[in-house]
Amino acid sequence: MTDKTSNAMWGGRFASGPDAIMEAINASIGFDRRMAAQDIAGSRAHAAMLAAQGIITDSDAEAIREGLLTILSEIEGGSFEFSTALEDIHMNVEARLKALIGAPAGRLHTARSRNDQVATDFRLWVRDQTDAAIEGVTALQKALLGQAEAGADWVMPGFTHLQTAQPVTWGHHMMAYVEMFGRDAARLRDARVRMNECPLGAAALAGTSFPIDREATAQALGFDRPMANSLDAVADRDFALEFLSAASICAMHLSRLAEELVIWSSAQFRFVAMSDRFSTGSSIMPQKKNPDAAELIRAKIGRILGATVALFTVMKGLPMTYGKDMQEDKEQVFDAADTLMLSLAAMEGMVRDMAARPENLRAAASSGFSTATDLADWLVRELGLPFREAHHVTGALVAKAEARGCDLPELTLAEMQEVHGEISEGVFSVLGVDNSVASRTCYGGTAPAQVRAQIARWRELLG
């Protein structure tokens, strides 16, 4: 079947229209319509520059500007009719512009190509998503800060290997995630600096002979500068890869926090109570309250990391400059961005709503021989034992307490002296969990004073 619309788009090179299968595999309008606002912004900046340089007339530029604003209004209002036959967002907009304003529409594409056009649109879209992701991460950090402030001195067990290790505070644990997500925001900001260069004006790959002003279009679109090499400008997708890489690390952090929320809200831990807003029930077990939002976030890393691997795979074997393979760069980025933003919003809501249970946190911290390291340190400080010997003595005391079915503070002085005769009454001053956390006053430690200092620092950083 001949497709006259498609023939008109391609000009005289092709005698017949594309086969339906070719049209289906070639078209990208089903997903790249998401870049409509960016495409129109780029076209407006390009038309204004062409007029300023005397390449098109002011009247044509004004007609183009008005037509593009009409199209944007139609798209935002839902009345715009997208055509698969026109392949992509660029040709859909151009065809509608021609229908609206006639001949001046044909002058818009002077001194540019779809290659630099799509590179610009996609950069603008990813830049917008980067900004949104930074805002989402910051909102989550503020929710974590609220939890940290509430429980700066609530004692809880710290874990290694998911085994009780040493007492820490709830505030300290929350602040660990503030630091993690702070690095995520920093990675996104860093990626944004590198992506903020404008490809527009590179044309198909070699630049253009028209006297364009690339500085003007870059400035109009909020870029720091034009890209310095026309080949690189149309070939590069590092900006999308960096966004996906940063998103993958952030999603991994979200998954780790989600796993802790799943564990902590279980009947075996009871460290936190999750709100009904982010929990579900069971169809058969009426007692159940499942942390489904956390479980889903825990799984979302698979989609985001999968998108990252997919785009790396698309790009890894491409010669300069543009190949149609690069049409496969968008769907996974769109999905990853949506997934990240949903996960950040859900996690922020869960963190804000969850209620820690300080009494259960304290009970867990007071069991499992969590102050064993404090005992070993006391033996080193007070008795002058080498740490390895202190470690051995402490291990023997733990074994004695375990045999008795009690924790270290419940051993009598006589029982301790059976293991090492020089142990004195002063040992009990370090065996309480409150004393343990209060003693960790080094920078970055779990002492409540240190936690509050870190909260204050982050409050100032986040504004």
Side-chain angles (χ1 to χ4, degrees), residues 287-308:
Q287 83 281 10
K288 294 292 291 299
K289 184 176 180 181
N290 300 323
D292 280 11
E295 291 174 353
L296 288 165
I297 290 172
R298 188 173 59 183
K300 294 297 186 184
I301 175 66
R303 290 177 70 151
I304 297 174
L305 183 58
T308 306

Side-chain angles (χ1 to χ4, degrees), residues 325-400:
D325 317 50
M326 291 164 75
Q327 185 168 291
E328 291 297 305
D329 60 358
K330 296 173 195 67
E331 284 182 280
Q332 52 262 38
V333 177
F334 293 162
D335 182 75
D338 291 346
T339 301
L340 179 64
M341 292 307 299
L342 180 60
S343 298
L344 285 167
M347 183 59 79
E348 181 203 350
M350 280 191 295
V351 169
R352 286 192 186 280
D353 284 4
M354 71 180 179
R357 292 171 163 169
E359 66 284 357
N360 293 348
L361 295 171
R362 172 174 286 276
S366 300
S367 64
F369 312 107
S370 65
T371 56
T373 303
D374 297 276
L375 173 55
D377 289 345
W378 184 88
L379 292 169
V380 171
R381 281 195 313 270
E382 301 300 323
L383 304 187
L385 298 186
F387 184 79
R388 285 302 170 201
E389 184 180 346
H391 187 283
H392 178 78
V393 170
T394 301
L397 289 168
V398 167
K400 183 181 281 288

Side-chain angles (χ1 to χ4, degrees), residues 69-87:
L69 288 175
T70 298
I71 293 168
L72 181 61
S73 178
E74 291 175 349
I75 292 172
E76 291 176 342
S79 63
F80 189 93
E81 293 185 13
F82 293 97
S83 169
T84 303
L86 292 170
E87 287 191 16

Side-chain angles (χ1 to χ4, degrees), residues 378 382 413 423-431:
W378 184 88
E382 301 300 323
L413 180 59
I423 295 176
S424 67
E425 192 74 33
V427 73
F428 292 100
S429 67
V430 300
L431 294 182

Side-chain angles (χ1 to χ4, degrees), residues 223 246 261:
F223 289 107
L261 297 184

Side-chain angles (χ1 to χ4, degrees), residues 200-273:
L200 197 59
L205 77 164
T208 178
S209 58
F210 287 95
I212 62 172
D213 183 351
R214 294 191 63 206
E215 293 284 352
T217 48
Q219 183 177 1
L221 293 170
F223 289 107
D224 293 330
R225 64 191 68 84
M227 294 186 73
N229 184 284
S230 62
L231 298 173
D232 182 47
V234 297
D236 174 53
R237 292 298 183 271
D238 289 0
F239 62 93
L241 289 167
E242 281 202 78
F243 172 77
L244 288 175
S245 298
S248 293
I249 297 173
C250 183
M252 177 269 292
H253 289 153
L254 288 168
S255 184
R256 293 185 72 175
L257 177 52
E259 169 67 357
E260 295 214 294
L261 297 184
V262 170
I263 293 171
W264 290 351
S265 62
S266 68
Q268 289 70 34
F269 273 72
R270 296 184 183 275
F271 282 5
V272 299

